[in-house]
Amino acid sequence: MDRSPKDIFTEYFRNNIKREGSEELLEWLMQSDFFSAPASTRFHLAEPEGLCVHSIHVYERLHKLYSEEKKLPLTSEEEERLAIVGLLHDVCKTDFYIEDFRNQKTYAPDKIRTATKWEIKHDSRGDFIWETVPYYRIEDNFPYGHGEKSVVLIEKFMWLSDEERMSIRWHMGFSDDTFKGGSATVGNAFNLYPLAALLNCADILAAYLDESDSSLF
């Protein structure tokens, strides 16, 4: 039987993260919607379990990038560090998305054929009907930012090193709202903590290669 994303995440977590408070953190994740939530509202993995799957992809990408750069066997401390920042960078999205419903036009011919005459409308694209469809919307009850929110939530359970804090805080890289507002802090963080730059690269590779419909290969 294939393992679920939750099983894979939990195995990576428990095999590598031994820090005091880690089991309490994992239990909190178990009690939250982390393992059922989407990774976004409409972009990468906007589907159940998407957040967990994305976290796994980022960890695996980061592990590969870090190992290729180091070119030596990793220590247990490095393995723990990579698991922490890779698996937990997006815990800010826990209990963040709400499933809701909205009306949407559908032009599917099979649905048009089975619709009643009064249901069928017409616009520049052709015949359509209105259909109620599920979607995710954001309900942020702890509006503390993105990467910084993940840091705060993790440190409710276990300590983080400065390198881990910086990596998680700046994992959005130059897409972070602070940078778009004119701050150069993310560049300073990347210079001081190369792991932060690698995590940003892993996040991008996961979203655009592992989780995209298109492929370069």
Side-chain angles (χ1 to χ4, degrees):
M1 181 183 295
D2 291 338
R3 294 181 301 162
S4 69
K6 182 177 181 180
D7 291 336
I8 296 170
F9 180 98
T10 303
E11 181 176 319
Y12 280 146
F13 188 105
R14 287 196 165 127
N15 284 349
N16 295 289
I17 304 175
K18 309 296 184 181
R19 195 167 297 176
E20 183 178 353
S22 61
E23 275 299 317
E24 289 79 3
L25 172 55
L26 183 58
E27 180 60 27
W28 172 69
L29 292 176
M30 295 282 191
Q31 298 300 319
S32 74
D33 71 348
F34 180 86
F35 295 103
S36 60
S40 67
T41 55
R42 59 190 180 92
F43 298 108
H44 64 114
L45 294 178
E47 58 193 42
E49 299 183 317
L51 178 56
C52 179
V53 172
H54 174 69
S55 301
I56 292 168
H57 287 163
V58 171
Y59 165 67
E60 291 174 341
R61 284 283 180 179
L62 177 63
H63 196 281
K64 185 173 186 289
L65 288 171
Y66 190 95
S67 299
E68 288 174 348
E69 288 296 321
K70 186 180 180 185
K71 299 181 176 65
L72 290 170
L74 304 189
T75 65
S76 59
E77 290 79 9
E78 288 173 311
E79 293 284 7
E80 182 175 59
R81 189 180 309 137
L82 296 179
I84 288 171
V85 303
L87 294 174
L88 302 174
H89 72 285
D90 263 351
V91 295
C92 56
K93 295 180 178 179
T94 301
D95 296 327
F96 183 69
Y97 297 114
I98 302 295
E99 189 170 10
D100 208 338
F101 295 89
R102 64 185 173 193
N103 289 330
Q104 175 178 293
K105 291 180 179 181
T106 179
Y107 298 85
D110 56 329
K111 293 184 178 180
I112 300 295
R113 283 194 299 270
T114 58
T116 60
K117 184 176 180 179
W118 65 268
E119 291 177 307
I120 301 173
K121 312 296 181 184
H122 190 84
D123 64 10
S124 59
R125 291 181 56 190
D127 290 338
F128 70 88
I129 61 171
W130 287 105
E131 187 175 39
T132 301
V133 296
Y135 81 107
Y136 290 104
R137 61 178 175 83
I138 292 173
E139 187 173 290
D140 191 358
N141 294 312
F142 184 42
Y144 202 74
H146 189 76
E148 55 268 58
K149 180 179 175 180
S150 288
V151 171
V152 168
L153 291 174
I154 294 166
E155 291 203 306
K156 288 185 177 183
F157 300 92
M158 69 179 191
W159 70 272
L160 296 173
S161 68
D162 286 347
E163 183 179 36
E164 292 159 354
R165 290 189 191 100
M166 291 294 178
S167 299
I168 295 170
R169 165 63 185 92
W170 294 110
H171 76 265
M172 291 291 289
F174 299 102
S175 297
D176 191 276
D177 287 342
T178 306
F179 174 77
K180 290 189 286 186
S183 171
T185 308
V186 61
N188 295 338
F190 284 178
N191 281 326
L192 289 169
Y193 300 98
L195 180 61
L198 288 177
L199 180 59
N200 174 237
C201 291
D203 195 25
I204 292 170
L205 290 173
Y208 291 100
L209 295 186
D210 300 325
E211 299 154 16
S212 172
D213 292 335
S214 59
S215 175
L216 296 176
F217 312 106

